[in-house]
Amino acid sequence: MFIPCDRGGDSAAPDFKGFTLLMPAVSVGNVGQLAIDLVISTLDMTKVGYFYTDCLVPMVGNNPYATAEENSTELSINAEVYSLPSKKLVVLQIRSPFIKNKYRPFCETLLSWVKSSKCARVVLLSSSHAYQRDDEQLLGTPLRYLLTPDLEKAVGGRVKELKWKEMEKVAAYPGISDTDKVLHIPGGGITKLLFTESCSEGIQMAVLLKFCSEGDNIPDAFVLVNYLNEWLQLIKSEVNPSSQWKIPSSWRLLFGNGLPPALF
Amino acid sequence: MATFFGEVVVAPSRAGLDEEEEAREETPEDREIRREIEKKREIDVLWTWQAGGCAQEPLVCSRFIVAIGRNAAAFLSSFILDSVCWEVVGVVKLWNEWCRTSSTTNVLPTDSFCLFYRLISDPTVLLCQCSCYVAEDQQFQWLEKVFGSMQKKGLQVTILSTCPVADYKTQESTLTLVSPFLKALKTKEFQEPVCCPLLEQPNIVRDLPAA
């Protein structure tokens, strides 16, 4: 699945042992993916490879993080891996939706790659439909977290210090009291599947998600990436953290082209 | 999200998936139906030499030109292909909701087809005219089956395709843009000069050309 980039002289495959894998779920508002774009762009991460997979809709374009003429012509495809060894961080960016019936195969292949590359833990950035919140969830923070039992042991204390709110479980059969509570993440794409699989396979995984709706999701991405930063401290957050994130050049023209002058 | 006062329309989510549908465990009937559909959607790549029953040697190919979509296919028909210099060597047989191709190589320009031609004077030059739509779940299969038959060392691939001008993202309005115009994407291994400007961010290419 993972194909390392040909880096010329250094032909050894990159080593992710002990690294944190940060990745998005393709979810409502694409908030996870936008947040990942901010991380890759700000930390100027190096592409180390890609996923050769039949589970995602194909797409290709020129380097979305281009800053100058020189680096703007590298091709970029739908699932690419970036790394920053100084922070023991490896990031997967997913740029297109899943093909029908391919969720499970992708999740299985991904988790088996996580295990074989010996990543220490996985952090999944995601989102969920804001309109599905219940009365209590409408109040307070729109941010939630989830930890697999293995990660709970390791970082549960830190998360408590941060006063984060855990994603609530909902009744399996709403309206009927006394039923089992289940995890429900509407609009979250593969989030629930990856999380439940990680729980059963003993993988340390954290899910960070934001309630949101479709629209201009750039502010949601900033909120989510700042939430992530409270924990992982990827950038200094003493001053206004939002101003420290670098918006990639590919975020231009998100809402259409310029207008024809003849309109006025 | 309201379109007019009082009407609430559920916006389709870019997450794409109906989570419940995916989460539900497959019954044996579901599995059977899914397998049958998958079989129906399988792609067959038929090369002319296969008819003779001989073993599949990988095709030695130095240049492979692929024209995807009706416009690109028509371009090849009008300017490149002729029955003197080119011979048909293969066909792709597929079915999806949008089109069906057959294994016949005798096609009309208005048909949906996917044919392979070889330059008679240099049999390592291969050309593909793909005017049919290859669905997203078939694109990877197309790729593997077509390129799987080729010996890829030293292979140069050129992909020709078209996109609507309205899809082109630019600071100015597309109304004032002089069209048609050419843009290119290339891998870093492609060292030859490109005949047109490279595709600027944030434009992307999708579907079979991207695959």
Side-chain angles (χ1 to χ4, degrees), chain A residues 23-42:
Chain A
M23 62 171 285
V26 180
S27 57
V28 56
N30 304 93
V31 177
Q33 295 158 284
L34 291 171
I36 295 285
D37 258 358
L38 287 173
V39 171
I40 296 173
S41 171
T42 309

Side-chain angles (χ1 to χ4, degrees), chain A residues 115 148 150 197-205:
Chain A
K115 285 196 267 193
T148 56
D150 294 84
E197 290 294 297
S198 299
C199 285
S200 54
E201 302 211 16
I203 292 178
Q204 294 195 7
M205 176 182 281

Side-chain angles (χ1 to χ4, degrees), chain B residues 105-142:
Chain B
T105 57
N106 196 10
V107 293
L108 294 171
T110 46
D111 290 339
S112 281
F113 57 86
C114 184
L115 294 172
F116 296 92
Y117 300 84
R118 185 165 60 181
L119 188 61
I120 294 173
S121 57
D122 179 359
T124 66
V125 176
L126 208 67
L127 199 141
C128 173
Q129 251 187 335
C130 187
S131 73
C132 64
Y133 176 65
V134 181
E136 49 183 48
D137 59 309
Q138 295 172 316
Q139 287 157 13
F140 194 84
Q141 225 196 108
W142 190 100

Side-chain angles (χ1 to χ4, degrees), chain B residues 7-207:
Chain B
E7 184 198 359
V8 176
V9 177
V10 177
S13 167
R14 274 169 278 174
L17 106 110
D18 178 358
E19 186 190 89
E20 298 312 315
E21 190 186 299
E22 284 281 345
R24 205 182 54 219
E25 285 301 318
E26 266 190 326
T27 64
E29 287 90 13
D30 289 336
R31 205 169 303 138
E32 187 59 39
I33 292 171
R34 185 168 59 79
R35 276 207 205 106
E36 284 299 310
I37 295 178
E38 273 173 16
K39 234 189 335 198
K40 204 171 172 196
R41 296 176 77 89
E42 248 178 47
I43 289 184
D44 286 314
V45 182
L46 306 159
W47 302 102
T48 47
W49 49 83
Q50 281 173 306
C54 48
Q56 263 256 249
E57 288 264 335
L59 187 63
V60 176
C61 192
S62 64
R63 279 178 182 262
F64 184 31
I65 300 160
V66 189
I68 301 173
R70 287 198 184 278
N71 291 326
F75 169 78
L76 287 189
S77 293
S78 314
F79 295 101
I80 312 286
L81 285 170
D82 60 56
S83 51
V84 175
C85 304
W86 298 87
E87 54 172 356
V88 177
V89 291
V91 65
V92 170
K93 193 162 152 226
L94 64 84
W95 173 88
N96 57 51
E97 295 80 359
W98 293 270
C99 70
R100 173 200 298 277
T101 68
S102 65
S103 48
T104 175
T105 57
N106 196 10
V107 293
L108 294 171
T110 46
D111 290 339
S112 281
F113 57 86
C114 184
L115 294 172
F116 296 92
Y117 300 84
R118 185 165 60 181
L119 188 61
I120 294 173
S121 57
D122 179 359
T124 66
V125 176
L126 208 67
L127 199 141
C128 173
Q129 251 187 335
C130 187
S131 73
C132 64
Y133 176 65
V134 181
E136 49 183 48
D137 59 309
Q138 295 172 316
Q139 287 157 13
F140 194 84
Q141 225 196 108
W142 190 100
L143 200 66
E144 295 265 288
K145 289 193 174 170
V146 169
F147 282 86
S149 326
M150 290 181 196
Q151 194 245 74
K152 293 182 273 287
K153 206 169 150 99
L155 172 63
Q156 188 190 86
V157 182
T158 307
I159 301 162
L160 306 172
S161 137
T162 54
C163 294
V165 174
D167 283 351
Y168 181 64
K169 292 200 169 43
T170 172
Q171 198 64 46
E172 358 163 329
S173 157
T174 47
L175 214 62
T176 51
L177 221 55
V178 175
S179 69
F181 55 89
L182 287 177
K183 293 285 176 189
L185 283 172
K186 64 175 196 70
T187 61
K188 55 179 186 287
E189 288 81 5
F190 185 85
Q191 298 294 342
E192 290 172 36
V194 184
C195 58
C196 62
L198 293 180
L199 187 64
E200 310 85 352
Q201 295 81 340
N203 291 288
I204 58 168
V205 174
R206 280 177 266 250
D207 293 327

